[in-house]
Short mmCIF file of all heavy atoms in Angstrom, two decimals:
data_model
loop_
_atom_site.label_atom_id
_atom_site.label_comp_id
_atom_site.label_asym_id
_atom_site.label_seq_id
_atom_site.Cartn_x
_atom_site.Cartn_y
_atom_site.Cartn_z
N SER A 241 -12.67 5.24 16.97
CA SER A 241 -12.87 6.25 18.01
C SER A 241 -12.12 5.93 19.30
O SER A 241 -12.09 6.73 20.22
CB SER A 241 -14.37 6.39 18.31
OG SER A 241 -14.83 5.17 18.84
N SER A 243 -9.45 6.05 21.66
CA SER A 243 -8.29 6.92 21.82
C SER A 243 -8.40 7.61 23.17
O SER A 243 -9.47 7.60 23.78
CB SER A 243 -8.31 7.99 20.73
OG SER A 243 -9.53 8.72 20.81
N ASN A 244 -7.32 8.23 23.61
CA ASN A 244 -7.42 9.07 24.82
C ASN A 244 -8.40 10.20 24.57
O ASN A 244 -9.17 10.60 25.45
CB ASN A 244 -6.06 9.68 25.16
CG ASN A 244 -5.19 8.72 25.95
OD1 ASN A 244 -5.45 8.47 27.11
ND2 ASN A 244 -4.22 8.15 25.30
N THR A 245 -8.35 10.73 23.36
CA THR A 245 -9.21 11.86 23.00
C THR A 245 -10.66 11.60 23.38
O THR A 245 -11.34 12.45 23.95
CB THR A 245 -9.10 12.14 21.48
OG1 THR A 245 -7.73 12.37 21.18
CG2 THR A 245 -9.95 13.31 21.08
N ASN A 246 -11.10 10.39 23.05
CA ASN A 246 -12.51 10.04 23.24
C ASN A 246 -12.95 10.15 24.70
O ASN A 246 -14.12 10.31 24.98
CB ASN A 246 -12.72 8.62 22.73
CG ASN A 246 -14.13 8.37 22.32
OD1 ASN A 246 -14.79 9.25 21.77
ND2 ASN A 246 -14.64 7.19 22.60
N TYR A 247 -11.99 10.04 25.63
CA TYR A 247 -12.34 10.05 27.05
C TYR A 247 -12.08 11.38 27.73
O TYR A 247 -12.27 11.51 28.94
CB TYR A 247 -11.56 8.94 27.79
CG TYR A 247 -11.91 7.57 27.25
CD1 TYR A 247 -11.09 6.95 26.32
CD2 TYR A 247 -13.09 6.93 27.63
CE1 TYR A 247 -11.42 5.71 25.79
CE2 TYR A 247 -13.42 5.70 27.11
CZ TYR A 247 -12.58 5.09 26.18
OH TYR A 247 -12.92 3.88 25.67
N ALA A 248 -11.57 12.36 26.96
CA ALA A 248 -11.25 13.65 27.58
C ALA A 248 -12.53 14.24 28.17
O ALA A 248 -13.58 14.23 27.55
CB ALA A 248 -10.63 14.59 26.57
N GLN A 249 -12.39 14.76 29.38
CA GLN A 249 -13.59 15.23 30.08
C GLN A 249 -13.66 16.75 30.13
O GLN A 249 -14.57 17.38 29.62
CB GLN A 249 -13.60 14.67 31.51
CG GLN A 249 -13.78 13.18 31.58
CD GLN A 249 -13.90 12.67 33.02
OE1 GLN A 249 -13.77 13.43 33.97
NE2 GLN A 249 -14.17 11.39 33.17
N PHE A 303 -20.35 22.74 21.69
CA PHE A 303 -19.86 23.01 23.04
C PHE A 303 -20.96 23.66 23.87
O PHE A 303 -21.88 24.28 23.31
CB PHE A 303 -18.62 23.91 22.98
CG PHE A 303 -17.44 23.25 22.29
CD1 PHE A 303 -16.83 23.83 21.17
CD2 PHE A 303 -16.93 22.04 22.75
CE1 PHE A 303 -15.76 23.22 20.54
CE2 PHE A 303 -15.85 21.42 22.13
CZ PHE A 303 -15.27 22.01 21.02
N ALA A 327 -17.91 20.32 26.48
CA ALA A 327 -19.24 19.76 26.18
C ALA A 327 -19.57 18.90 27.40
O ALA A 327 -19.12 17.75 27.48
CB ALA A 327 -19.20 18.93 24.91
N ASP A 329 -19.20 16.91 30.54
CA ASP A 329 -17.93 16.28 30.93
C ASP A 329 -17.52 15.22 29.92
O ASP A 329 -16.84 14.26 30.24
CB ASP A 329 -18.03 15.70 32.35
CG ASP A 329 -19.13 14.64 32.46
OD1 ASP A 329 -19.84 14.40 31.44
OD2 ASP A 329 -19.29 14.05 33.54
N HIS A 330 -17.97 15.41 28.65
CA HIS A 330 -17.55 14.48 27.60
C HIS A 330 -17.07 15.25 26.38
O HIS A 330 -17.44 14.97 25.24
CB HIS A 330 -18.67 13.48 27.23
CG HIS A 330 -20.02 14.13 27.07
ND1 HIS A 330 -21.05 13.94 27.95
CD2 HIS A 330 -20.48 14.99 26.14
CE1 HIS A 330 -22.09 14.65 27.56
NE2 HIS A 330 -21.77 15.29 26.45
N THR A 331 -16.18 16.20 26.64
CA THR A 331 -15.67 17.06 25.56
C THR A 331 -14.92 16.26 24.50
O THR A 331 -15.05 16.51 23.30
CB THR A 331 -14.71 18.12 26.17
OG1 THR A 331 -15.36 18.69 27.31
CG2 THR A 331 -14.36 19.19 25.17
N GLY A 332 -14.13 15.30 24.96
CA GLY A 332 -13.32 14.52 24.01
C GLY A 332 -14.19 13.73 23.05
O GLY A 332 -13.91 13.65 21.85
N TYR A 333 -15.26 13.16 23.58
CA TYR A 333 -16.19 12.39 22.74
C TYR A 333 -16.77 13.29 21.66
O TYR A 333 -16.88 12.91 20.48
CB TYR A 333 -17.30 11.81 23.63
CG TYR A 333 -18.42 11.17 22.84
CD1 TYR A 333 -18.30 9.86 22.41
CD2 TYR A 333 -19.56 11.91 22.52
CE1 TYR A 333 -19.31 9.28 21.67
CE2 TYR A 333 -20.57 11.33 21.78
CZ TYR A 333 -20.45 10.02 21.35
OH TYR A 333 -21.44 9.45 20.61
N GLU A 334 -17.13 14.51 22.04
CA GLU A 334 -17.73 15.45 21.09
C GLU A 334 -16.73 15.84 19.99
O GLU A 334 -17.08 15.93 18.81
CB GLU A 334 -18.23 16.69 21.86
CG GLU A 334 -18.88 17.76 21.02
CD GLU A 334 -20.08 17.26 20.20
OE1 GLU A 334 -20.63 16.19 20.52
OE2 GLU A 334 -20.43 17.94 19.20
N ILE A 335 -15.48 16.05 20.39
CA ILE A 335 -14.46 16.43 19.41
C ILE A 335 -14.16 15.25 18.47
O ILE A 335 -14.08 15.40 17.25
CB ILE A 335 -13.18 16.90 20.13
CG1 ILE A 335 -13.45 18.22 20.87
CG2 ILE A 335 -12.02 17.06 19.16
CD1 ILE A 335 -12.30 18.73 21.72
N GLU A 336 -14.01 14.08 19.06
CA GLU A 336 -13.71 12.88 18.25
C GLU A 336 -14.85 12.64 17.25
O GLU A 336 -14.61 12.37 16.07
CB GLU A 336 -13.54 11.68 19.21
CG GLU A 336 -13.14 10.38 18.57
CD GLU A 336 -11.66 10.27 18.19
OE1 GLU A 336 -10.82 10.96 18.77
OE2 GLU A 336 -11.37 9.49 17.27
N ARG A 337 -16.07 12.76 17.72
CA ARG A 337 -17.25 12.58 16.87
C ARG A 337 -17.21 13.56 15.69
O ARG A 337 -17.36 13.18 14.53
CB ARG A 337 -18.51 12.80 17.71
CG ARG A 337 -19.84 12.60 17.03
CD ARG A 337 -20.99 13.18 17.86
NE ARG A 337 -21.03 14.64 17.87
CZ ARG A 337 -21.51 15.40 16.89
NH1 ARG A 337 -22.05 14.83 15.82
NH2 ARG A 337 -21.49 16.72 16.97
N THR A 338 -16.92 14.81 16.02
CA THR A 338 -16.92 15.85 14.99
C THR A 338 -15.83 15.58 13.95
O THR A 338 -16.07 15.67 12.73
CB THR A 338 -16.65 17.22 15.66
OG1 THR A 338 -17.63 17.42 16.66
CG2 THR A 338 -16.67 18.35 14.67
N LEU A 339 -14.64 15.26 14.41
CA LEU A 339 -13.52 15.07 13.48
C LEU A 339 -13.71 13.81 12.63
O LEU A 339 -13.37 13.79 11.44
CB LEU A 339 -12.20 14.99 14.26
CG LEU A 339 -11.77 16.29 14.98
CD1 LEU A 339 -10.52 16.05 15.82
CD2 LEU A 339 -11.51 17.43 13.98
N LEU A 340 -14.27 12.77 13.23
CA LEU A 340 -14.49 11.54 12.45
C LEU A 340 -15.53 11.76 11.35
O LEU A 340 -15.38 11.26 10.24
CB LEU A 340 -14.92 10.39 13.37
CG LEU A 340 -13.79 9.71 14.15
CD1 LEU A 340 -14.35 8.70 15.15
CD2 LEU A 340 -12.80 9.01 13.21
N THR A 515 -21.55 12.26 32.89
CA THR A 515 -20.79 11.00 32.78
C THR A 515 -20.27 10.59 34.16
O THR A 515 -20.36 9.42 34.55
CB THR A 515 -19.58 11.19 31.83
OG1 THR A 515 -20.03 11.89 30.67
CG2 THR A 515 -18.96 9.88 31.43
N LEU A 580 -5.42 18.93 24.45
CA LEU A 580 -6.23 18.88 23.22
C LEU A 580 -5.86 20.06 22.34
O LEU A 580 -5.78 19.95 21.11
CB LEU A 580 -7.72 18.90 23.58
CG LEU A 580 -8.23 17.69 24.38
CD1 LEU A 580 -9.65 17.92 24.88
CD2 LEU A 580 -8.17 16.42 23.53
#
Side-chain angles (χ1 to χ4, degrees):
S241 64
S243 58
N244 277 288
T245 303
N246 205 36
Y247 299 98
Q249 293 185 355
F303 295 123
D329 60 357
H330 45 250
T331 312
Y333 172 84
E334 180 57 19
I335 293 175
E336 184 77 24
R337 183 194 72 79
T338 303
L339 294 175
L340 281 173
T515 315
L580 296 171

